[in-house]
Amino acid sequence: MPDQRFDVVVIGGGIVGLATALQFGRAFPRLRLLLVEKEDGVARHQSGHNSGVIHSGIYYKPGSLKAKLCVEGAAAMTAFCREHGIAVEICGKLIVATTEEELPRLKSLLERGQANGIAGLKLLSREQAREIEPHCGGVGWLQVPGTGITDYPAVCEKYAALITAQGGTVSTGTRVTGIARSSGDIVLETTRGSFAAKYGINCGGLHSDRLSGMAGEKTEVKIVPFRGEYYDLVKEREYLVRNLIYPVPDLRFPFLGVHFTRRVHGGIDAGPNAVLALKREGYRRTDFNLQDVASTLAYSGFWNMARKYWRSGAGEVYRSLHKPAMVRAMQALLPEITAADVVADGSGVRATAVSRDGSLVDDFQFACSNNMLHVWNVVSPAATASLPIGREIVRMAREGFGL
């Protein structure tokens, strides 16, 4: 018999799981709600290992869920931080074309951003760009004034506090070991006992596909982990970057490329790259998990992806292992930077959803069946868009579960 019963259980204490639980509590204040997180606190993985950017929504395909929710989420996140006294700043950023060949893509980004309803976008001359970022290189510049920076771990802590204040339960140190069904309920077996609930929401991030498998769901994708490694500018050279400097991305990939980001509490990040992680929560090059590696290598979608993008992948690995190569990538945006100006810092691991044909899933992806809703692909800009994503998950659950 289950130790406790609830109406809704959310699996995962990252920013999406927390926002979902928060929005459930707001929409259905009488429901008994439980959020379980395997770590000893919230935001221990993707939500606590990112650059803290409030994205504008300029990169995403017009009409996509990503574009819609990111634009809404940027305004909602800024308002939330201001309401709750969390550090936030709307500092803007420059997107920089470093070659003549990138100029058409820069213009396309402007058009995409305008189609997504982003205000204030402007192509700049060299002189105008240098007024904003005096040390920036490049041949073309797009100003995105609405981009901001914040402290997402602090946002997650506030989400958790609000969930509790609404009457929900946040149980950390609670790893899900099995998912079963009994008398129409979902039963979670965990390291802290068993819990029954009428409905379940899988926001497991790096382990979302495995949780789906536990529940008997045949996943359309598999999570392949990619580690992004950051450098920090040394204190004496932080003046080289005022706010945010980004490259023109290759929109075939979910990764933006090496860029510079000012942190809301101080310091400048340089990076990240994107290399295959040998452990789903492997933040160091030496981290290795046999099950995770075997899962990746046994998946046909991984090999299909590798055949498509092996050149790009090889370049990322080379820059990871060879600091001068990483610095050369930085110099495309910031010509004055040298190897002595940056020191290796932390890293993050991105839960990249890969289809069987090897394509990288571009938009947010969800599936609802058997009283469970599975959240498979909510990576960047998921932190920015977390509040409307949570609201959207509640809407889908309302329709799918008949709440």
Side-chain angles (χ1 to χ4, degrees):
M1 295 291 292
D3 298 312
Q4 295 184 63
R5 291 184 176 275
F6 295 86
D7 294 306
V8 176
V9 59
V10 178
I11 306 171
I15 198 166
V16 172
L18 290 161
T20 298
L22 179 63
Q23 298 288 41
F24 257 105
R26 289 174 173 176
F28 302 100
R30 295 184 179 180
L31 291 185
R32 295 163 297 166
L33 184 142
L34 169 69
L35 181 143
V36 296
E37 163 57 40
K38 67 183 179 66
E39 304 295 352
D40 61 1
V42 298
R44 290 296 191 263
H45 294 293
Q46 292 179 108
S47 303
H49 291 79
N50 59 62
S51 56
V53 175
I54 300 176
H55 290 286
S56 65
I58 192 171
Y59 301 114
Y60 312 117
K61 183 178 179 181
S64 67
L65 200 56
K66 264 190 180 181
K68 177 178 180 291
L69 298 186
C70 185
V71 173
E72 290 181 24
M77 180 57 65
T78 302
F80 181 89
C81 291
R82 288 173 175 166
E83 178 185 355
H84 295 285
I86 297 169
V88 64
E89 182 179 345
I90 305 303
C91 58
K93 75 176 174 185
L94 284 186
I95 301 177
V96 180
T98 59
T99 65
E100 296 290 334
E101 289 75 17
E102 289 181 346
L103 290 174
R105 285 162 50 195
L106 190 69
K107 185 180 179 182
S108 294
L109 272 184
L110 170 65
E111 295 168 351
R112 178 172 284 207
Q114 290 171 335
N116 288 338
I118 301 168
L121 301 177
K122 183 180 180 181
L123 290 172
L124 303 180
S125 67
R126 182 181 300 273
E127 292 72 24
Q128 290 171 321
R130 289 294 178 88
E131 288 178 7
I132 297 171
E133 292 288 353
H135 303 277
C136 182
V139 298
W141 304 266
L142 175 59
Q143 183 184 20
V144 188
T147 301
I149 50 178
T150 190
D151 180 346
Y152 284 123
V155 170
C156 289
E157 293 289 348
K158 178 54 68 173
Y159 282 178
L162 292 174
I163 292 165
T164 302
Q166 290 174 171
T169 301
V170 176
S171 180
T172 56
T174 307
R175 179 189 296 271
V176 175
T177 58
I179 301 174
R181 287 181 170 80
S182 176
S183 302
D185 285 344
I186 294 161
V187 179
L188 299 187
E189 297 296 337
T190 80
T191 52
R192 290 198 170 181
S194 61
F195 304 95
K198 295 179 182 177
Y199 312 106
I201 312 294
N202 168 14
C203 295
L206 285 157
H207 300 283
S208 57
D209 56 342
R210 290 177 175 169
L211 289 165
S212 295
M214 284 185 189
E217 182 74 28
K218 291 184 178 180
T219 59
E220 300 173 13
V221 298
K222 184 175 284 292
I223 299 300
V224 177
F226 282 86
R227 187 177 67 255
E229 300 160 331
Y230 286 92
Y231 284 81
D232 275 354
L233 266 67
V234 298
K235 190 72 175 177
E236 298 76 19
R237 297 285 273 174
E238 287 181 359
Y239 70 87
L240 292 174
V241 178
R242 288 182 174 177
N243 292 301
L244 283 69
I245 305 174
Y246 276 53
V248 178
D250 184 338
L251 296 178
R252 294 174 301 166
F253 302 98
F255 313 110
L256 295 176
V258 173
H259 49 272
F260 295 92
T261 305
R262 178 165 63 84
R263 292 273 190 173
V264 75
H265 294 301
I268 305 292
D269 283 340
N273 55 8
V275 296
L276 181 68
L278 302 181
K279 182 180 179 181
R280 290 204 180 189
E281 293 162 2
Y283 299 103
R284 299 169 299 181
R285 292 176 186 170
T286 55
D287 287 341
F288 177 86
N289 180 281
L290 181 60
Q291 179 188 6
D292 292 346
V293 173
S295 175
T296 296
L297 297 181
Y299 181 47
S300 60
F302 167 75
W303 295 106
N304 291 330
M305 176 188 68
R307 279 190 287 270
K308 290 181 181 180
Y309 304 123
W310 70 269
R311 289 183 186 275
S312 298
E316 294 287 347
V317 171
Y318 180 63
R319 284 187 288 273
S320 172
L321 298 176
H322 192 60
K323 182 179 179 180
M326 187 70 164
V327 173
R328 284 195 294 272
M330 298 177 194
Q331 288 170 337
L333 298 177
L334 206 64
E336 296 174 47
I337 203 165
T338 70
D341 298 332
V342 293
V343 292
D345 191 33
S347 65
V349 179
R350 181 187 179 111
T352 305
V354 179
S355 298
R356 293 190 182 279
D357 65 0
S359 59
L360 307 179
V361 178
D362 182 49
D363 208 354
F364 297 146
Q365 190 170 69
F366 311 91
C368 186
S369 66
N370 297 321
N371 288 9
M372 282 199 74
L373 192 151
H374 301 275
V375 180
W376 285 332
N377 192 53
V378 283
V379 290
S380 183
T384 298
S386 55
L387 287 169
I389 287 173
R391 187 198 64 227
E392 181 70 10
I393 290 171
V394 171
R395 182 195 65 78
M396 289 188 289
R398 188 195 300 265
E399 294 179 358
F401 301 156
L403 291 173

